[in-house]
Amino acid sequence: MLWEKMTSPEIKEASNKGLVAVLPIGSIEIHGPHMPVGTDSITVYKIAELAAEKEPAVVLPPFYYAYVPENRHFPGTISLTAKTLLSLLEEVCDEISRNGFKKILIVNGHGGNNELIRVFLRDSLTKRKNYFIYALVNPWPSNLTAMITKLTEGRTIGHACEVETSIGLYLFEDLIKIKNVEQEAKTGSTNLPKGIETPVDWQAYALQLYLGDPRLASKEKGKLIVEELVTFLAEAISKIKADENV
């Protein structure tokens, strides 16, 4: 069920049933020359919608605007500050709770949001909210690692890569411009000792704003990955609904 397509009485009924509210969060950022800037948001929203069809839940409109400071110098990218995003998350979760939903699952589709969401989770402990927050922080659950390694034969993956492009071909093929990719991505480094981080690690590594070779993507690979993600998320929603330790 999609929140924005439900009537007010339907939302009240869903909250009375104790359904989990799912809040997808993505980004608006450059995804190489071949994927739409809304890739993260479109993908996470669709996967949440498909999961809610398998395990009843209420899916809210996705957070399109998120934390992408590393890519703001490229056309199309829109980034909020960390402070703004944390405030928005809290206010939206407060409003979801005011509507009667006491279990909220944040589903993240953008790696740049990871640390902020973890901060948000822990910070909520000190505020004594009348609801409980869960989060799928890492966009790639660990149970997918073996499948992805097999599908990609160990090739480099990451941002706008073979895997993400395959998902895009399955979920929104009409938006993928694969002809814009002319070669396998080149990568770089800050050349600093391992473990030393800087604000420009990403820029130094992903020189072309995509990784690996997206030309090896296929709709068939995307279907396998999406189905696994949807199954994982549906099972998580079911367990969260049954969770009595809150």
Side-chain angles (χ1 to χ4, degrees):
M1 292 178 282
L2 302 180
W3 184 290
E4 70 273 23
K5 293 185 177 180
M6 298 169 69
T7 63
S8 180
E10 286 172 335
I11 290 175
K12 181 176 178 58
E13 181 182 0
S15 68
N16 288 341
K17 287 181 178 178
L19 295 188
V20 176
V22 179
L23 178 60
I25 177 170
S27 71
I28 295 285
E29 64 168 339
I30 183 171
H31 267 73
H34 62 294
M35 300 193 78
V37 295
T39 288
D40 289 342
S41 303
I42 297 168
T43 299
V44 72
Y45 185 41
K46 186 60 178 177
I47 288 172
E49 179 183 1
L50 293 171
E53 290 174 2
K54 293 173 68 75
E55 178 62 40
V58 179
V59 180
L60 283 99
F63 268 45
Y64 273 89
Y65 309 116
Y67 188 66
V68 204
E70 67 275 14
N71 287 335
R72 344 181 21 240
H73 49 299
F74 290 98
T77 299
I78 297 177
S79 179
L80 301 179
T81 64
K83 180 180 179 180
T84 297
L85 181 54
L86 288 170
S87 293
L88 281 172
L89 277 172
E90 181 174 6
E91 291 191 23
V92 170
C93 287
D94 285 351
E95 284 295 286
I96 295 170
S97 172
R98 186 179 59 77
N99 277 275
F101 296 87
K102 300 307 176 186
K103 292 180 178 179
I104 302 170
L105 170 61
I106 296 172
V107 181
N108 182 34
H110 168 59
N113 295 326
N114 288 7
E115 298 309 317
L116 280 179
I117 292 174
R118 290 190 175 104
V119 168
F120 182 67
L121 281 173
R122 284 152 183 76
D123 197 43
S124 69
L125 287 174
T126 67
K127 296 186 177 181
R128 299 188 178 184
K129 300 291 187 181
N130 63 344
Y131 56 88
F132 200 79
I133 303 169
Y134 305 79
L136 175 56
V137 176
N138 191 326
W140 303 110
S142 58
N143 66 311
L144 274 175
T145 302
M147 173 188 283
I148 289 174
T149 299
K150 182 177 180 180
L151 290 174
T152 61
E153 299 178 351
R155 291 182 288 271
T156 298
I157 59 172
H159 189 72
C161 65
E162 173 184 350
V163 171
E164 197 167 18
T165 304
S166 293
I167 292 172
L169 286 171
Y170 179 62
L171 293 178
F172 43 92
E173 183 177 16
D174 58 319
L175 301 180
I176 305 296
K177 310 294 191 301
I178 199 66
K179 291 182 178 179
N180 291 346
V181 180
E182 298 178 352
Q183 62 183 15
E184 182 177 355
K186 298 177 181 179
T187 57
S189 168
T190 60
N191 295 316
L192 292 169
K194 186 176 180 180
I196 301 297
E197 298 185 18
T198 78
V200 295
D201 291 346
W202 168 250
Q203 293 93 324
Y205 175 58
L207 300 176
Q208 294 173 278
L209 278 300
Y210 67 92
L211 295 172
D213 194 343
R215 297 172 299 177
L216 299 174
S218 71
K219 184 185 291 188
E220 292 71 26
K221 293 176 185 176
K223 182 176 186 293
L224 290 171
I225 296 167
V226 168
E227 287 177 346
E228 192 69 23
L229 281 168
V230 169
T231 297
F232 174 84
L233 183 54
E235 290 175 353
I237 292 170
S238 176
K239 290 179 180 179
I240 288 171
K241 183 178 179 181
D243 184 14
E244 297 179 352
N245 297 315
V246 295

